[in-house]
Amino acid sequence: MQVNTSSGTSEADLLAAAEQGDRAAWSELVARHTPTVWAVARAHRLSRTDAADVVQNTWLTLIENMKGIHNPARLSAWLSTTARRHSLRALAARRREIPVDEPRSDSLVTEAADVDVVQEGWNAALWKAFGQLSDHCQRVLRVLVHSPELSYEQVAASVGIAPGSVGPTRGRCLSELRRKAALAGLFEEGVR
């Protein structure tokens, strides 16, 4: 089954054609939805390599479950949920790993430790301020920071808001983060 893969082709037609082996339809599905899948993976603060694995595993899961997609119009939501599940598995796997540092000379260890202590304290305070934001703000900021190449429409689809709300929401969330960070003493400027 060959389908016209223009941007107006429905998800149902593309999915049905891809299921029948139409490579053009599959390529169009991948092109349409990969930015959203990447955004979900990066919103979980995964490394680029781990995020790439999540994206690949998400597409493999779709291949394995194509016949089980009952509502092709909701394919984007299905892919987002699947990417979220793969991201959580990747995070759990990372927690089980034990990092091993390379040996360093004694003079570098002391100097690096001082810098690390300051940086860790600053990072901890910033993450604490970030953790005080609403879940909605955290999701929006994570997607915007980890996937800056996404359009506002793609960001909106991945976090479930209207495209026209992305900019104002981003501004409000960043202002709130600045305020909380200033209260935590991260900035010398006063609280606004």
Side-chain angles (χ1 to χ4, degrees):
M1 171 182 183
Q2 290 285 328
V3 169
N4 176 6
T5 57
S6 67
S7 61
T9 306
S10 75
E11 300 286 330
D13 290 341
L14 288 173
L15 200 57
E19 189 177 334
Q20 298 299 318
D22 185 341
R23 288 181 163 218
W26 178 257
S27 294
E28 179 62 24
L29 284 171
V30 170
R32 283 185 188 183
H33 297 287
T34 293
T36 301
V37 174
W38 265 103
V40 171
R42 295 295 286 183
H44 285 83
R45 297 186 310 216
L46 295 173
S47 68
R48 192 152 195 66
T49 304
D50 287 341
D53 288 344
V54 165
V55 171
Q56 183 177 10
N57 288 333
T58 300
W59 289 114
L60 287 172
T61 303
L62 177 61
I63 289 171
E64 294 167 354
N65 295 288
M66 250 192 249
K67 293 182 185 198
I69 305 294
H70 301 296
N71 187 356
R74 301 271 306 138
L75 180 62
S76 183
W78 187 93
L79 288 167
S80 292
T81 299
T82 303
R84 192 171 302 112
R85 289 176 180 159
H86 283 298
S87 296
L88 293 173
R89 283 187 200 112
L91 287 170
R94 281 284 172 239
R95 278 188 230 120
R96 290 189 299 264
E97 292 179 359
I98 301 171
V100 178
D101 287 339
E102 302 226 357
R104 299 185 283 184
S105 72
D106 289 342
S107 63
L108 289 177
V109 170
T110 304
E111 186 178 310
D114 292 343
V115 171
D116 286 348
V117 167
V118 171
Q119 186 66 43
E120 284 177 17
W122 197 88
N123 285 343
L126 183 59
W127 279 115
K128 184 177 179 183
F130 183 81
Q132 293 172 354
L133 295 175
S134 68
D135 288 340
H136 178 69
C137 276
Q138 289 182 32
R139 276 194 316 274
V140 169
L141 293 178
R142 279 189 177 127
V143 170
L144 288 168
V145 168
H146 289 295
S147 300
E149 73 280 359
L150 294 180
S151 69
Y152 273 12
E153 288 78 18
Q154 292 166 322
V155 171
S158 69
V159 296
I161 61 175
S165 299
V166 173
T169 300
R170 174 185 169 267
R172 283 191 301 275
C173 293
L174 285 174
S175 292
E176 185 65 13
L177 180 59
R178 270 188 223 99
R179 188 181 74 70
K180 290 182 183 304
L183 287 171
L186 292 177
F187 303 120
E188 291 189 21
E189 64 189 54
V191 179
R192 295 182 226 192

